[in-house]
Amino acid sequence: MSDSRVINFGAGPSVLPDSVLQEAAKGLLNFNGTGIGIAEISHRSKEFVAFLAELEGQVRSQLEVPETHSILFTQGGATGQFSAIVLNLLARHRLLHPDLSNDERAMDYVVTGSWSKKAAEEARRLGGGQVNVAVDARPYSKDGKSFDNIPAHDTYTFSPNPALIYYCENETVDGVEFSNDASSPASFPFHLLPQNTLAPLVADYSSSFMSRPIPRLADHAIIYAGAQKNIGPAGLTILIVRKDCIVDVDAAAKLGAMPVPITMVYKTLADNNSLYNTPSVLAIYISGLVLKRSAELGGLKYYEEVNKRKAEKVYAAIKEGAEKGVYQAKVKEGSGSLMNVVFNVLGEGAEAKFLSGAEARGMQALKGHRSVGGIRASLYNAITEQQVDMLVAYMKEFLEQ
Protein backbone atom coordinates (compact mmCIF):
# COMPACT_ATOMS: atom_id res chain seq x y z
CA MET A 1 0.00 0.00 0.00
CA SER A 2 1.29 3.45 -0.95
CA ASP A 3 1.99 6.01 1.78
CA SER A 4 1.17 8.89 -0.57
CA ARG A 5 -2.21 10.64 -0.52
CA VAL A 6 -4.57 10.34 -3.47
CA ILE A 7 -6.95 13.00 -4.79
CA ASN A 8 -10.19 12.36 -2.93
CA PHE A 9 -13.26 13.45 -4.91
CA GLY A 10 -15.58 11.78 -2.38
CA ALA A 11 -18.85 13.41 -1.36
CA GLY A 12 -18.26 13.10 2.37
CA PRO A 13 -16.56 12.52 4.66
CA SER A 14 -14.45 14.46 2.22
CA VAL A 15 -10.97 15.81 1.69
CA LEU A 16 -9.36 18.15 4.22
CA PRO A 17 -6.36 20.43 3.60
CA ASP A 18 -3.02 18.76 4.24
CA SER A 19 -1.78 21.71 6.31
CA VAL A 20 -4.83 21.45 8.58
CA LEU A 21 -4.35 17.72 9.11
CA GLN A 22 -0.69 18.30 9.97
CA GLU A 23 -1.63 20.97 12.51
CA ALA A 24 -4.40 18.76 13.91
CA ALA A 25 -1.91 15.94 14.39
CA LYS A 26 0.07 18.19 16.72
CA GLY A 27 -3.11 19.07 18.57
CA LEU A 28 -3.85 15.40 19.15
CA LEU A 29 -0.78 15.36 21.38
CA ASN A 30 -0.82 18.90 22.76
CA PHE A 31 -3.80 21.22 22.32
CA ASN A 32 -2.92 24.91 22.51
CA GLY A 33 -0.02 24.37 24.88
CA THR A 34 -2.08 22.57 27.53
CA GLY A 35 -0.01 19.39 27.39
CA ILE A 36 -3.27 17.51 26.83
CA GLY A 37 -4.43 16.22 23.46
CA ILE A 38 -7.58 17.69 21.92
CA ALA A 39 -9.29 14.28 21.98
CA GLU A 40 -8.58 14.05 25.72
CA ILE A 41 -9.24 17.55 27.06
CA SER A 42 -12.38 18.51 28.96
CA HIS A 43 -14.97 20.27 26.82
CA ARG A 44 -15.50 22.59 29.79
CA SER A 45 -11.85 23.61 30.06
CA LYS A 46 -11.21 27.31 29.52
CA GLU A 47 -8.97 26.50 26.54
CA PHE A 48 -11.64 24.53 24.69
CA VAL A 49 -14.44 26.97 25.55
CA ALA A 50 -12.29 29.77 24.13
CA PHE A 51 -11.63 27.75 20.97
CA LEU A 52 -15.35 27.09 20.48
CA ALA A 53 -16.00 30.83 20.78
CA GLU A 54 -13.34 31.46 18.12
CA LEU A 55 -15.03 28.96 15.80
CA GLU A 56 -18.37 30.70 16.32
CA GLY A 57 -16.69 34.01 15.55
CA GLN A 58 -15.21 32.68 12.31
CA VAL A 59 -18.61 31.44 11.12
CA ARG A 60 -20.28 34.73 12.07
CA SER A 61 -17.68 36.98 10.48
CA GLN A 62 -17.10 35.03 7.26
CA LEU A 63 -20.82 34.52 6.58
CA GLU A 64 -21.80 37.94 7.97
CA VAL A 65 -24.38 36.40 10.31
CA PRO A 66 -26.50 39.14 11.93
CA GLU A 67 -27.06 39.39 15.67
CA THR A 68 -30.68 38.32 15.10
CA HIS A 69 -29.35 34.77 14.71
CA SER A 70 -27.54 32.42 17.10
CA ILE A 71 -24.84 29.98 16.01
CA LEU A 72 -25.15 26.56 17.60
CA PHE A 73 -23.08 23.39 17.42
CA THR A 74 -24.56 19.93 17.77
CA GLN A 75 -24.38 16.34 16.53
CA GLY A 76 -26.55 14.08 14.38
CA GLY A 77 -25.82 15.51 10.95
CA ALA A 78 -28.46 16.58 8.44
CA THR A 79 -30.57 13.53 9.25
CA GLY A 80 -30.77 14.57 12.90
CA GLN A 81 -31.96 18.00 11.82
CA PHE A 82 -34.71 16.47 9.67
CA SER A 83 -36.33 15.64 13.03
CA ALA A 84 -35.10 18.53 15.20
CA ILE A 85 -36.38 21.19 12.79
CA VAL A 86 -39.86 19.68 12.66
CA LEU A 87 -40.11 19.36 16.45
CA ASN A 88 -38.75 22.82 17.30
CA LEU A 89 -40.72 24.68 14.64
CA LEU A 90 -43.96 22.83 15.35
CA ALA A 91 -43.48 23.84 19.00
CA ARG A 92 -43.00 27.46 17.91
CA HIS A 93 -46.11 27.29 15.74
CA ARG A 94 -48.09 25.81 18.65
CA LEU A 95 -47.07 28.72 20.88
CA LEU A 96 -48.05 31.22 18.19
CA HIS A 97 -51.30 29.44 17.22
CA PRO A 98 -52.42 27.27 20.16
CA ASP A 99 -55.96 26.76 18.89
CA LEU A 100 -55.09 25.18 15.54
CA SER A 101 -55.45 21.42 15.12
CA ASN A 102 -52.62 19.34 13.69
CA ASP A 103 -54.52 19.09 10.42
CA GLU A 104 -54.40 22.88 10.17
CA ARG A 105 -50.62 23.06 10.65
CA ALA A 106 -48.75 22.91 7.35
CA MET A 107 -45.09 22.11 6.78
CA ASP A 108 -43.93 23.11 3.30
CA TYR A 109 -41.18 21.12 1.57
CA VAL A 110 -39.41 21.99 -1.67
CA VAL A 111 -38.37 18.58 -3.03
CA THR A 112 -35.49 18.87 -5.50
CA GLY A 113 -33.46 15.76 -4.70
CA SER A 114 -32.83 12.76 -2.50
CA TRP A 115 -32.12 14.70 0.70
CA SER A 116 -35.10 17.06 0.62
CA LYS A 117 -37.23 14.01 -0.20
CA LYS A 118 -35.91 12.25 2.91
CA ALA A 119 -36.55 15.37 5.00
CA ALA A 120 -40.18 15.47 3.87
CA GLU A 121 -40.57 11.76 4.62
CA GLU A 122 -39.32 12.30 8.17
CA ALA A 123 -41.80 15.14 8.68
CA ARG A 124 -44.63 12.83 7.59
CA ARG A 125 -43.34 10.08 9.90
CA LEU A 126 -43.27 12.37 12.93
CA GLY A 127 -46.72 13.84 12.30
CA GLY A 128 -47.86 16.88 14.19
CA GLY A 129 -48.85 18.66 11.00
CA GLN A 130 -49.61 18.17 7.31
CA VAL A 131 -46.74 18.00 4.82
CA ASN A 132 -47.32 20.16 1.75
CA VAL A 133 -44.92 19.56 -1.12
CA ALA A 134 -44.58 23.12 -2.40
CA VAL A 135 -42.94 21.77 -5.54
CA ASP A 136 -41.52 18.42 -6.67
CA ALA A 137 -38.81 18.68 -9.32
CA ARG A 138 -39.33 15.22 -10.78
CA PRO A 139 -42.32 16.00 -13.05
CA TYR A 140 -40.17 18.72 -14.69
CA SER A 141 -37.24 16.39 -15.43
CA LYS A 142 -36.26 14.99 -18.82
CA ASP A 143 -37.72 11.57 -17.98
CA GLY A 144 -40.46 12.72 -15.60
CA LYS A 145 -39.02 10.84 -12.62
CA SER A 146 -35.46 12.05 -11.97
CA PHE A 147 -34.09 14.94 -9.93
CA ASP A 148 -32.27 16.87 -12.64
CA ASN A 149 -33.50 20.45 -12.28
CA ILE A 150 -34.52 23.39 -10.14
CA PRO A 151 -38.17 24.06 -11.06
CA ALA A 152 -39.31 27.43 -12.43
CA HIS A 153 -40.67 29.93 -9.92
CA ASP A 154 -44.25 29.69 -11.18
CA THR A 155 -44.44 26.01 -10.15
CA TYR A 156 -44.20 26.67 -6.37
CA THR A 157 -47.23 26.70 -4.08
CA PHE A 158 -46.52 27.75 -0.49
CA SER A 159 -49.00 27.57 2.38
CA PRO A 160 -50.24 30.91 3.81
CA ASN A 161 -49.07 30.25 7.39
CA PRO A 162 -46.78 27.21 7.52
CA ALA A 163 -44.84 26.02 10.55
CA LEU A 164 -41.79 25.70 8.30
CA ILE A 165 -40.66 26.05 4.69
CA TYR A 166 -37.84 23.65 3.88
CA TYR A 167 -35.39 23.42 0.98
CA CYS A 168 -32.01 21.81 0.35
CA GLU A 169 -29.68 24.33 -1.30
CA ASN A 170 -27.39 21.67 -2.81
CA GLU A 171 -28.47 18.09 -3.42
CA THR A 172 -25.27 16.09 -2.94
CA VAL A 173 -26.59 12.88 -4.52
CA ASP A 174 -28.26 14.39 -7.57
CA GLY A 175 -25.91 17.28 -8.33
CA VAL A 176 -28.69 19.90 -8.33
CA GLU A 177 -28.18 23.32 -6.74
CA PHE A 178 -30.08 26.58 -6.33
CA SER A 179 -28.37 29.47 -8.08
CA ASN A 180 -26.85 32.37 -6.12
CA ASP A 181 -27.94 34.73 -8.91
CA ALA A 182 -31.32 36.22 -7.97
CA SER A 183 -32.13 36.78 -11.66
CA SER A 184 -31.68 33.09 -12.50
CA PRO A 185 -34.80 30.92 -12.91
CA ALA A 186 -32.92 28.37 -10.80
CA SER A 187 -32.68 30.71 -7.78
CA PHE A 188 -34.84 30.21 -4.71
CA PRO A 189 -38.14 32.13 -5.07
CA PHE A 190 -37.87 34.33 -1.98
CA HIS A 191 -40.49 36.69 -3.42
CA LEU A 192 -43.14 33.96 -3.18
CA LEU A 193 -42.76 33.42 0.57
CA PRO A 194 -45.61 34.52 2.88
CA GLN A 195 -45.36 38.28 3.36
CA ASN A 196 -45.78 40.48 6.46
CA THR A 197 -44.36 37.81 8.75
CA LEU A 198 -41.06 36.28 9.77
CA ALA A 199 -41.07 33.36 7.35
CA PRO A 200 -39.97 30.07 8.97
CA LEU A 201 -37.56 29.37 6.10
CA VAL A 202 -35.19 26.44 6.64
CA ALA A 203 -32.23 25.54 4.43
CA ASP A 204 -29.94 22.51 4.38
CA TYR A 205 -26.58 23.93 3.30
CA SER A 206 -24.50 20.87 4.11
CA SER A 207 -22.65 20.53 0.80
CA SER A 208 -21.94 24.19 0.09
CA PHE A 209 -21.60 25.70 3.58
CA MET A 210 -18.61 28.09 3.75
CA SER A 211 -17.94 27.70 0.02
CA ARG A 212 -19.70 30.94 -1.01
CA PRO A 213 -21.99 33.57 0.57
CA ILE A 214 -25.55 32.58 1.47
CA PRO A 215 -28.15 34.69 -0.37
CA ARG A 216 -30.50 36.53 1.99
CA LEU A 217 -29.15 34.74 5.04
CA ALA A 218 -31.04 37.04 7.40
CA ASP A 219 -34.35 35.98 5.82
CA HIS A 220 -33.83 32.39 6.95
CA ALA A 221 -35.17 31.00 10.21
CA ILE A 222 -32.66 28.13 10.25
CA ILE A 223 -29.62 27.24 8.16
CA TYR A 224 -27.71 24.10 9.01
CA ALA A 225 -24.82 22.05 7.68
CA GLY A 226 -22.99 18.86 8.43
CA ALA A 227 -19.30 19.67 8.76
CA GLN A 228 -18.00 16.74 6.73
CA LYS A 229 -18.04 18.45 3.32
CA ASN A 230 -16.20 21.78 3.42
CA ILE A 231 -15.40 22.29 7.09
CA GLY A 232 -14.19 19.29 9.07
CA PRO A 233 -14.71 15.64 10.02
CA ALA A 234 -18.07 13.96 10.42
CA GLY A 235 -19.74 14.37 13.81
CA LEU A 236 -20.33 18.11 13.91
CA THR A 237 -23.44 19.96 12.72
CA ILE A 238 -23.49 23.77 12.59
CA LEU A 239 -26.78 25.65 13.01
CA ILE A 240 -27.63 29.29 12.35
CA VAL A 241 -30.96 29.85 14.11
CA ARG A 242 -33.02 33.02 14.18
CA LYS A 243 -33.65 33.85 17.83
CA ASP A 244 -37.45 33.86 17.54
CA CYS A 245 -37.17 30.14 16.67
CA ILE A 246 -35.44 29.32 19.95
CA VAL A 247 -38.55 28.64 21.99
CA ASP A 248 -39.68 26.95 25.20
CA VAL A 249 -40.66 23.55 23.81
CA ASP A 250 -41.89 22.35 27.21
CA ALA A 251 -44.40 25.20 27.34
CA ALA A 252 -45.51 24.20 23.83
CA ALA A 253 -45.86 20.56 24.95
CA LYS A 254 -48.31 21.65 27.67
CA LEU A 255 -50.42 23.08 24.85
CA GLY A 256 -50.32 19.80 22.92
CA ALA A 257 -47.09 19.94 20.93
CA MET A 258 -44.89 16.88 20.72
CA PRO A 259 -42.17 16.63 23.40
CA VAL A 260 -38.67 17.28 22.04
CA PRO A 261 -35.66 15.16 23.11
CA ILE A 262 -33.43 17.37 25.25
CA THR A 263 -30.38 17.26 22.95
CA MET A 264 -32.53 18.36 20.01
CA VAL A 265 -33.95 21.43 21.76
CA TYR A 266 -32.47 24.60 20.28
CA LYS A 267 -33.10 26.49 23.52
CA THR A 268 -31.05 23.90 25.42
CA LEU A 269 -28.16 24.36 22.99
CA ALA A 270 -28.42 28.16 23.08
CA ASP A 271 -28.75 28.46 26.87
CA ASN A 272 -25.67 26.28 27.37
CA ASN A 273 -23.43 27.69 24.62
CA SER A 274 -23.67 24.34 22.79
CA LEU A 275 -22.09 22.62 25.81
CA TYR A 276 -25.10 21.03 27.52
CA ASN A 277 -23.45 17.66 26.89
CA THR A 278 -20.07 16.67 25.45
CA PRO A 279 -19.85 17.96 21.88
CA SER A 280 -17.75 16.55 19.03
CA VAL A 281 -14.54 18.01 20.42
CA LEU A 282 -12.13 16.77 17.72
CA ALA A 283 -14.46 17.74 14.87
CA ILE A 284 -14.86 21.22 16.36
CA TYR A 285 -11.07 21.59 16.65
CA ILE A 286 -10.37 20.62 13.04
CA SER A 287 -13.26 22.79 11.80
CA GLY A 288 -11.75 25.73 13.65
CA LEU A 289 -8.41 25.15 11.94
CA VAL A 290 -10.11 24.92 8.54
CA LEU A 291 -12.01 28.19 9.00
CA LYS A 292 -8.94 29.98 10.30
CA ARG A 293 -7.13 28.91 7.11
CA SER A 294 -10.13 30.03 5.07
CA ALA A 295 -9.95 33.51 6.58
CA GLU A 296 -6.24 33.71 5.81
CA LEU A 297 -6.88 32.83 2.15
CA GLY A 298 -9.55 35.48 1.74
CA GLY A 299 -12.70 33.85 3.05
CA LEU A 300 -15.82 33.16 1.04
CA LYS A 301 -14.98 35.61 -1.73
CA TYR A 302 -11.81 33.64 -2.44
CA TYR A 303 -13.56 30.28 -2.40
CA GLU A 304 -16.52 31.49 -4.45
CA GLU A 305 -14.21 32.53 -7.27
CA VAL A 306 -12.05 29.40 -7.14
CA ASN A 307 -15.00 27.01 -6.86
CA LYS A 308 -16.74 28.62 -9.81
CA ARG A 309 -13.63 28.18 -11.98
CA LYS A 310 -13.25 24.58 -10.86
CA ALA A 311 -16.83 23.65 -11.70
CA GLU A 312 -16.79 25.49 -15.05
CA LYS A 313 -13.77 23.46 -16.13
CA VAL A 314 -15.44 20.14 -15.35
CA TYR A 315 -18.75 21.13 -16.95
CA ALA A 316 -16.86 22.25 -20.08
CA ALA A 317 -15.18 18.83 -20.27
CA ILE A 318 -18.56 17.11 -19.90
CA LYS A 319 -19.97 19.24 -22.72
CA GLU A 320 -17.03 18.39 -24.95
CA GLY A 321 -17.53 14.71 -24.17
CA ALA A 322 -21.27 14.96 -24.85
CA GLU A 323 -20.54 16.33 -28.32
CA LYS A 324 -18.47 13.21 -28.99
CA GLY A 325 -21.10 10.86 -27.55
CA VAL A 326 -18.94 9.77 -24.60
CA TYR A 327 -20.27 11.79 -21.65
CA GLN A 328 -23.82 12.76 -20.74
CA ALA A 329 -24.76 15.54 -18.31
CA LYS A 330 -27.25 14.37 -15.68
CA VAL A 331 -28.52 17.82 -14.67
CA LYS A 332 -30.20 20.45 -16.83
CA GLU A 333 -28.01 23.42 -17.67
CA GLY A 334 -28.39 26.18 -15.08
CA SER A 335 -29.33 23.80 -12.26
CA GLY A 336 -25.96 22.10 -11.86
CA SER A 337 -24.06 22.11 -8.58
CA LEU A 338 -20.69 23.81 -8.14
CA MET A 339 -19.87 21.28 -5.42
CA ASN A 340 -21.09 17.93 -6.79
CA VAL A 341 -20.76 17.55 -10.56
CA VAL A 342 -22.52 14.45 -11.90
CA PHE A 343 -22.46 12.82 -15.34
CA ASN A 344 -22.67 9.49 -17.12
CA VAL A 345 -20.03 7.75 -19.21
CA LEU A 346 -21.81 6.18 -22.17
CA GLY A 347 -21.18 2.75 -23.63
CA GLU A 348 -21.02 -0.79 -22.28
CA GLY A 349 -18.29 -1.08 -19.65
CA ALA A 350 -17.21 2.53 -20.22
CA GLU A 351 -18.00 3.74 -16.70
CA ALA A 352 -15.93 0.98 -15.09
CA LYS A 353 -13.09 1.74 -17.50
CA PHE A 354 -13.28 5.45 -16.65
CA LEU A 355 -13.15 4.77 -12.90
CA SER A 356 -10.30 2.30 -13.27
CA GLY A 357 -8.26 4.79 -15.28
CA ALA A 358 -8.93 7.52 -12.75
CA GLU A 359 -7.80 5.34 -9.86
CA ALA A 360 -4.63 4.43 -11.74
CA ARG A 361 -3.89 8.16 -11.89
CA GLY A 362 -4.46 8.67 -8.17
CA MET A 363 -8.05 9.97 -8.37
CA GLN A 364 -10.43 8.18 -6.02
CA ALA A 365 -14.13 8.19 -5.00
CA LEU A 366 -15.53 9.33 -8.35
CA LYS A 367 -18.27 6.71 -8.45
CA GLY A 368 -21.75 8.22 -8.14
CA HIS A 369 -24.11 7.56 -5.24
CA ARG A 370 -25.38 3.99 -5.19
CA SER A 371 -28.97 5.19 -5.70
CA VAL A 372 -28.29 6.97 -8.99
CA GLY A 373 -24.98 5.61 -10.33
CA GLY A 374 -22.83 7.44 -12.85
CA ILE A 375 -19.85 9.63 -11.97
CA ARG A 376 -19.77 12.26 -9.24
CA ALA A 377 -16.87 14.64 -8.70
CA SER A 378 -17.21 16.54 -5.43
CA LEU A 379 -15.22 19.75 -5.74
CA TYR A 380 -15.20 20.91 -2.14
CA ASN A 381 -13.01 23.75 -0.85
CA ALA A 382 -10.04 21.51 -0.10
CA ILE A 383 -9.93 20.20 -3.69
CA THR A 384 -7.41 22.49 -5.39
CA GLU A 385 -7.74 23.98 -8.84
CA GLN A 386 -4.62 22.04 -9.85
CA GLN A 387 -6.28 18.77 -8.82
CA VAL A 388 -9.37 19.70 -10.87
CA ASP A 389 -7.09 20.40 -13.82
CA MET A 390 -5.74 16.86 -13.46
CA LEU A 391 -9.27 15.45 -13.53
CA VAL A 392 -10.17 17.51 -16.60
CA ALA A 393 -6.98 16.43 -18.36
CA TYR A 394 -7.90 12.80 -17.71
CA MET A 395 -11.46 13.34 -18.91
CA LYS A 396 -10.10 14.72 -22.19
CA GLU A 397 -7.56 11.90 -22.45
CA PHE A 398 -10.38 9.38 -21.98
CA LEU A 399 -12.22 10.93 -24.92
CA GLU A 400 -9.31 10.12 -27.20
CA GLN A 401 -9.05 6.47 -26.09
Side-chain angles (χ1 to χ4, degrees):
M1 181 181 292
S2 172
D3 291 331
S4 63
R5 284 170 61 78
V6 300
I7 304 173
N8 175 15
F9 288 104
S14 53
V15 61
L16 289 164
D18 287 357
S19 61
V20 166
L21 293 175
Q22 290 161 0
E23 183 67 21
K26 298 176 185 176
L28 281 170
L29 292 173
N30 187 348
F31 168 61
N32 283 11
T34 61
I36 304 173
I38 182 61
E40 308 163 295
I41 200 164
S42 168
H43 62 291
R44 301 195 189 282
S45 65
K46 67 179 187 297
E47 293 85 1
F48 181 77
V49 171
F51 190 90
L52 184 61
E54 290 175 14
L55 173 58
E56 178 181 341
Q58 288 285 5
V59 174
R60 188 174 293 280
S61 62
Q62 291 189 45
L63 276 173
E64 299 182 358
V65 179
E67 290 302 321
T68 52
H69 289 62
S70 295
I71 297 171
L72 309 174
F73 303 96
T74 187
Q75 303 171 49
T79 305
Q81 289 308 304
F82 293 168
S83 311
I85 284 161
V86 168
L87 296 174
N88 280 272
L89 290 188
L90 280 177
R92 173 181 181 267
H93 202 257
R94 178 75 63 168
L95 291 169
L96 292 172
H97 309 284
D99 296 329
L100 293 180
S101 68
N102 287 350
D103 289 342
E104 295 173 298
R105 298 184 197 280
M107 295 179 283
D108 286 1
Y109 280 79
V110 175
V111 179
T112 54
S114 300
W115 289 113
S116 50
K117 177 175 174 286
K118 287 179 181 292
E121 289 169 350
E122 175 64 0
R124 288 193 191 94
R125 191 186 72 85
L126 289 173
Q130 298 299 311
V131 171
N132 168 52
V133 176
V135 70
D136 188 323
R138 286 171 291 187
Y140 306 101
S141 66
K142 291 188 289 287
D143 61 7
K145 60 183 181 182
S146 301
F147 291 116
D148 70 359
N149 70 98
I150 296 294
H153 290 174
D154 62 4
T155 61
Y156 292 72
T157 304
F158 293 113
S159 303
N161 181 29
L164 63 95
I165 302 165
Y166 187 103
Y167 74 100
C168 180
E169 189 266 353
N170 182 101
E171 292 282 1
T172 319
V173 171
D174 306 281
V176 175
E177 183 177 82
F178 283 90
S179 173
N180 253 20
D181 180 359
S183 65
S184 168
S187 63
F188 187 83
F190 290 98
H191 63 288
L192 297 179
L193 296 176
Q195 301 299 308
N196 303 318
T197 182
L198 286 173
L201 182 62
V202 178
D204 177 351
Y205 259 80
S206 291
S207 278
S208 58
F209 196 67
M210 304 307 295
S211 72
R212 58 179 184 163
I214 295 177
R216 298 178 62 163
L217 185 152
D219 292 337
H220 289 76
I222 300 169
I223 291 168
Y224 72 87
Q228 69 275 13
K229 312 289 187 179
N230 280 309
I231 311 162
L236 172 66
T237 308
I238 300 175
L239 304 170
I240 300 173
V241 184
R242 200 172 61 211
K243 290 178 181 177
D244 67 283
C245 296
I246 299 173
V247 301
D248 186 340
V249 298
D250 293 334
K254 292 177 182 178
L255 297 174
M258 288 183 288
V260 186
I262 192 69
T263 57
M264 287 187 168
V265 177
Y266 295 152
K267 191 173 188 302
T268 300
L269 291 171
D271 289 349
N272 292 276
N273 297 316
S274 301
L275 293 171
Y276 178 79
N277 64 323
T278 308
S280 299
V281 174
L282 180 59
I284 286 171
Y285 175 58
I286 295 178
S287 297
L289 297 180
V290 167
L291 293 190
K292 180 181 177 183
R293 176 179 179 270
S294 170
E296 292 168 352
L297 289 171
L300 300 193
K301 186 177 188 302
Y302 166 81
Y303 277 120
E304 183 177 31
E305 293 172 355
V306 173
N307 288 329
K308 184 178 180 181
R309 289 198 304 267
K310 284 156 48 177
E312 286 175 346
K313 290 178 181 182
V314 179
Y315 280 116
I318 295 171
K319 187 173 183 179
E320 180 182 343
E323 292 170 353
K324 296 183 178 181
V326 178
Y327 302 141
Q328 179 185 58
K330 297 181 71 172
V331 176
K332 290 182 180 180
E333 191 169 352
S335 297
S337 169
L338 300 183
M339 294 283 98
N340 310 103
V341 181
V342 296
F343 62 98
N344 289 323
V345 183
L346 304 177
E348 186 176 352
E351 180 182 305
K353 184 179 179 182
F354 180 91
L355 292 169
S356 176
E359 290 180 6
R361 290 161 178 78
M363 292 178 280
Q364 297 273 1
L366 283 163
K367 187 173 178 62
H369 191 272
R370 62 187 180 277
S371 64
V372 294
I375 305 297
R376 174 175 57 182
S378 292
L379 311 178
Y380 297 130
N381 286 355
I383 291 288
T384 67
E385 196 165 1
Q386 180 183 16
Q387 289 172 329
V388 170
D389 289 341
M390 293 172 66
L391 171 62
V392 169
Y394 169 61
M395 290 174 68
K396 293 183 176 182
E397 177 187 341
F398 187 83
L399 293 179
E400 306 304 323
Q401 294 177 3

